[in-house]
Short mmCIF file of all heavy atoms in Angstrom, two decimals:
data_model
loop_
_atom_site.label_atom_id
_atom_site.label_comp_id
_atom_site.label_asym_id
_atom_site.label_seq_id
_atom_site.Cartn_x
_atom_site.Cartn_y
_atom_site.Cartn_z
N GLN V 219 -36.98 91.34 -24.88
CA GLN V 219 -37.87 90.88 -25.94
C GLN V 219 -36.97 90.44 -27.10
O GLN V 219 -36.29 91.28 -27.71
CB GLN V 219 -38.80 92.00 -26.38
CG GLN V 219 -39.84 92.33 -25.32
CD GLN V 219 -40.94 93.23 -25.83
OE1 GLN V 219 -40.78 93.90 -26.84
NE2 GLN V 219 -42.05 93.27 -25.13
N GLY V 220 -36.91 89.14 -27.33
CA GLY V 220 -36.02 88.59 -28.34
C GLY V 220 -36.75 87.78 -29.38
O GLY V 220 -37.93 87.44 -29.22
N ASP V 221 -36.03 87.44 -30.43
CA ASP V 221 -36.62 86.69 -31.55
C ASP V 221 -36.61 85.17 -31.23
O ASP V 221 -35.98 84.39 -31.93
CB ASP V 221 -35.91 86.99 -32.85
CG ASP V 221 -34.40 86.79 -32.79
OD1 ASP V 221 -33.89 86.38 -31.71
OD2 ASP V 221 -33.73 86.99 -33.79
N LEU V 222 -37.35 84.80 -30.19
CA LEU V 222 -37.37 83.43 -29.75
C LEU V 222 -38.07 82.48 -30.74
O LEU V 222 -37.95 81.28 -30.63
CB LEU V 222 -38.03 83.31 -28.37
CG LEU V 222 -37.25 83.99 -27.21
CD1 LEU V 222 -38.04 83.88 -25.91
CD2 LEU V 222 -35.86 83.43 -27.07
N HIS V 223 -38.78 83.06 -31.70
CA HIS V 223 -39.36 82.21 -32.75
C HIS V 223 -38.28 81.62 -33.64
O HIS V 223 -38.51 80.64 -34.34
CB HIS V 223 -40.35 83.05 -33.59
CG HIS V 223 -39.71 84.18 -34.31
ND1 HIS V 223 -39.34 85.36 -33.67
CD2 HIS V 223 -39.38 84.36 -35.62
CE1 HIS V 223 -38.78 86.19 -34.53
NE2 HIS V 223 -38.82 85.62 -35.73
N ILE V 224 -37.08 82.23 -33.61
CA ILE V 224 -35.94 81.67 -34.34
C ILE V 224 -35.24 80.64 -33.42
O ILE V 224 -35.22 79.46 -33.71
CB ILE V 224 -34.97 82.75 -34.78
CG1 ILE V 224 -35.67 83.69 -35.76
CG2 ILE V 224 -33.68 82.16 -35.38
CD1 ILE V 224 -34.87 84.88 -36.22
N ASP V 225 -34.67 81.10 -32.35
CA ASP V 225 -34.13 80.28 -31.28
C ASP V 225 -33.65 81.21 -30.16
O ASP V 225 -33.91 82.42 -30.23
CB ASP V 225 -32.99 79.33 -31.75
CG ASP V 225 -31.71 80.05 -32.20
OD1 ASP V 225 -31.60 81.29 -32.00
OD2 ASP V 225 -30.81 79.38 -32.71
N GLY V 226 -32.98 80.67 -29.17
CA GLY V 226 -32.59 81.49 -28.02
C GLY V 226 -31.26 82.16 -28.14
O GLY V 226 -30.85 82.94 -27.23
N HIS V 227 -30.54 81.94 -29.24
CA HIS V 227 -29.15 82.41 -29.34
C HIS V 227 -29.03 83.93 -29.19
O HIS V 227 -28.23 84.42 -28.37
CB HIS V 227 -28.52 81.96 -30.66
CG HIS V 227 -27.05 82.20 -30.75
ND1 HIS V 227 -26.52 83.44 -31.01
CD2 HIS V 227 -26.00 81.37 -30.58
CE1 HIS V 227 -25.20 83.35 -31.02
NE2 HIS V 227 -24.86 82.12 -30.76
N HIS V 228 -29.78 84.70 -29.99
CA HIS V 228 -29.65 86.14 -29.92
C HIS V 228 -30.04 86.70 -28.56
O HIS V 228 -29.39 87.61 -28.02
CB HIS V 228 -30.55 86.82 -30.99
CG HIS V 228 -30.18 86.41 -32.41
ND1 HIS V 228 -31.14 86.24 -33.38
CD2 HIS V 228 -28.98 86.15 -32.95
CE1 HIS V 228 -30.52 85.86 -34.50
NE2 HIS V 228 -29.21 85.81 -34.28
N THR V 229 -31.09 86.11 -27.93
CA THR V 229 -31.55 86.56 -26.61
C THR V 229 -30.44 86.35 -25.58
O THR V 229 -30.14 87.25 -24.80
CB THR V 229 -32.81 85.80 -26.23
OG1 THR V 229 -33.89 86.20 -27.09
CG2 THR V 229 -33.19 86.08 -24.78
N VAL V 230 -29.83 85.16 -25.54
CA VAL V 230 -28.85 84.88 -24.51
C VAL V 230 -27.55 85.67 -24.76
O VAL V 230 -27.02 86.29 -23.83
CB VAL V 230 -28.52 83.37 -24.49
CG1 VAL V 230 -27.36 83.07 -23.56
CG2 VAL V 230 -29.78 82.60 -24.05
N GLU V 231 -27.06 85.69 -25.98
CA GLU V 231 -25.84 86.41 -26.26
C GLU V 231 -26.00 87.90 -26.05
O GLU V 231 -25.14 88.55 -25.43
CB GLU V 231 -25.38 86.15 -27.70
CG GLU V 231 -24.08 86.83 -28.07
CD GLU V 231 -23.65 86.53 -29.47
OE1 GLU V 231 -24.52 86.43 -30.40
OE2 GLU V 231 -22.41 86.40 -29.70
N ASP V 232 -27.05 88.49 -26.53
CA ASP V 232 -27.27 89.93 -26.42
C ASP V 232 -27.52 90.33 -24.96
O ASP V 232 -27.09 91.40 -24.54
CB ASP V 232 -28.44 90.40 -27.28
CG ASP V 232 -28.10 90.35 -28.77
OD1 ASP V 232 -27.01 89.87 -29.12
OD2 ASP V 232 -28.90 90.79 -29.57
N THR V 233 -28.12 89.46 -24.17
CA THR V 233 -28.29 89.72 -22.75
C THR V 233 -26.92 89.76 -22.06
O THR V 233 -26.65 90.61 -21.23
CB THR V 233 -29.22 88.68 -22.11
OG1 THR V 233 -30.50 88.76 -22.70
CG2 THR V 233 -29.35 88.91 -20.64
N GLY V 234 -26.05 88.83 -22.45
CA GLY V 234 -24.68 88.83 -21.90
C GLY V 234 -23.96 90.14 -22.24
O GLY V 234 -23.28 90.72 -21.37
N ILE V 235 -24.13 90.62 -23.49
CA ILE V 235 -23.51 91.88 -23.88
C ILE V 235 -24.07 93.01 -23.04
O ILE V 235 -23.29 93.86 -22.52
CB ILE V 235 -23.80 92.12 -25.40
CG1 ILE V 235 -23.02 91.14 -26.25
CG2 ILE V 235 -23.40 93.57 -25.78
CD1 ILE V 235 -23.41 91.16 -27.72
N ALA V 236 -25.39 93.08 -22.88
CA ALA V 236 -26.02 94.17 -22.15
C ALA V 236 -25.64 94.18 -20.67
O ALA V 236 -25.36 95.24 -20.09
CB ALA V 236 -27.55 94.13 -22.34
N ILE V 237 -25.58 93.00 -20.05
CA ILE V 237 -25.21 92.96 -18.63
C ILE V 237 -23.71 93.36 -18.49
O ILE V 237 -23.37 94.08 -17.57
CB ILE V 237 -25.47 91.54 -18.04
CG1 ILE V 237 -26.95 91.26 -18.03
CG2 ILE V 237 -24.89 91.44 -16.63
CD1 ILE V 237 -27.34 89.85 -17.57
N GLY V 238 -22.88 92.88 -19.40
CA GLY V 238 -21.49 93.30 -19.35
C GLY V 238 -21.30 94.80 -19.49
O GLY V 238 -20.53 95.42 -18.73
N GLN V 239 -22.01 95.43 -20.44
CA GLN V 239 -21.94 96.86 -20.60
C GLN V 239 -22.38 97.59 -19.35
O GLN V 239 -21.80 98.60 -18.93
CB GLN V 239 -22.83 97.30 -21.78
CG GLN V 239 -22.31 96.92 -23.15
CD GLN V 239 -23.31 97.28 -24.27
OE1 GLN V 239 -24.51 97.43 -24.01
NE2 GLN V 239 -22.80 97.38 -25.48
N THR V 240 -23.44 97.10 -18.73
CA THR V 240 -23.99 97.75 -17.55
C THR V 240 -23.06 97.61 -16.37
O THR V 240 -22.86 98.57 -15.59
CB THR V 240 -25.38 97.17 -17.21
OG1 THR V 240 -26.17 97.10 -18.39
CG2 THR V 240 -26.12 98.06 -16.20
N LEU V 241 -22.43 96.47 -16.22
CA LEU V 241 -21.45 96.26 -15.16
C LEU V 241 -20.29 97.24 -15.35
O LEU V 241 -19.82 97.87 -14.40
CB LEU V 241 -20.95 94.80 -15.20
CG LEU V 241 -19.78 94.51 -14.25
CD1 LEU V 241 -20.27 94.47 -12.80
CD2 LEU V 241 -19.10 93.21 -14.63
N ARG V 242 -19.83 97.36 -16.57
CA ARG V 242 -18.71 98.25 -16.86
C ARG V 242 -19.03 99.69 -16.49
O ARG V 242 -18.22 100.39 -15.90
CB ARG V 242 -18.35 98.14 -18.35
CG ARG V 242 -16.94 98.60 -18.69
CD ARG V 242 -16.57 98.20 -20.10
NE ARG V 242 -17.23 99.04 -21.09
CZ ARG V 242 -17.93 98.62 -22.15
NH1 ARG V 242 -18.06 97.33 -22.37
NH2 ARG V 242 -18.46 99.46 -22.98
N GLN V 243 -20.24 100.14 -16.83
CA GLN V 243 -20.65 101.51 -16.48
C GLN V 243 -20.70 101.70 -14.98
O GLN V 243 -20.25 102.70 -14.45
CB GLN V 243 -22.03 101.78 -17.10
CG GLN V 243 -22.00 101.92 -18.60
CD GLN V 243 -23.44 102.11 -19.15
OE1 GLN V 243 -24.29 102.68 -18.49
NE2 GLN V 243 -23.70 101.56 -20.30
N ALA V 244 -21.28 100.68 -14.27
CA ALA V 244 -21.43 100.83 -12.82
C ALA V 244 -20.08 100.86 -12.10
O ALA V 244 -19.95 101.49 -11.07
CB ALA V 244 -22.29 99.67 -12.29
N LEU V 245 -19.09 100.15 -12.67
CA LEU V 245 -17.74 100.11 -12.05
C LEU V 245 -16.98 101.42 -12.26
O LEU V 245 -16.03 101.70 -11.49
CB LEU V 245 -16.96 98.96 -12.64
CG LEU V 245 -17.29 97.59 -12.08
CD1 LEU V 245 -16.64 96.52 -12.96
CD2 LEU V 245 -16.83 97.46 -10.66
N GLY V 246 -17.33 102.21 -13.26
CA GLY V 246 -16.59 103.45 -13.53
C GLY V 246 -15.11 103.16 -13.78
O GLY V 246 -14.79 102.25 -14.53
N ASP V 247 -14.26 103.89 -13.11
CA ASP V 247 -12.79 103.68 -13.31
C ASP V 247 -12.22 102.58 -12.38
O ASP V 247 -11.03 102.39 -12.36
CB ASP V 247 -12.00 105.00 -13.18
CG ASP V 247 -12.08 105.59 -11.78
OD1 ASP V 247 -12.66 104.94 -10.88
OD2 ASP V 247 -11.55 106.70 -11.59
N LYS V 248 -13.07 101.94 -11.59
CA LYS V 248 -12.72 100.80 -10.76
C LYS V 248 -11.87 101.18 -9.53
O LYS V 248 -11.18 100.36 -8.99
CB LYS V 248 -12.05 99.69 -11.55
CG LYS V 248 -12.91 99.24 -12.75
CD LYS V 248 -12.16 98.30 -13.63
CE LYS V 248 -12.92 98.05 -14.93
NZ LYS V 248 -12.10 97.37 -15.94
#
């Protein structure tokens, strides 16, 4: 749920951040 009434920037960038964080957690110590 993003502030799309402004534009898509926060939604796309923050989704990239969240997916990256989740990938990092799932990988553990690799």
Side-chain angles (χ1 to χ4, degrees):
Q219 291 191 341
D221 54 359
L222 294 178
H223 62 286
I224 296 174
D225 67 8
H227 190 282
H228 299 144
T229 292
V230 173
E231 182 178 36
D232 289 5
T233 299
I235 292 169
I237 294 175
Q239 287 175 339
T240 314
L241 175 72
R242 201 169 75 229
Q243 290 175 33
L245 282 168
D247 64 4
K248 304 172 191 169

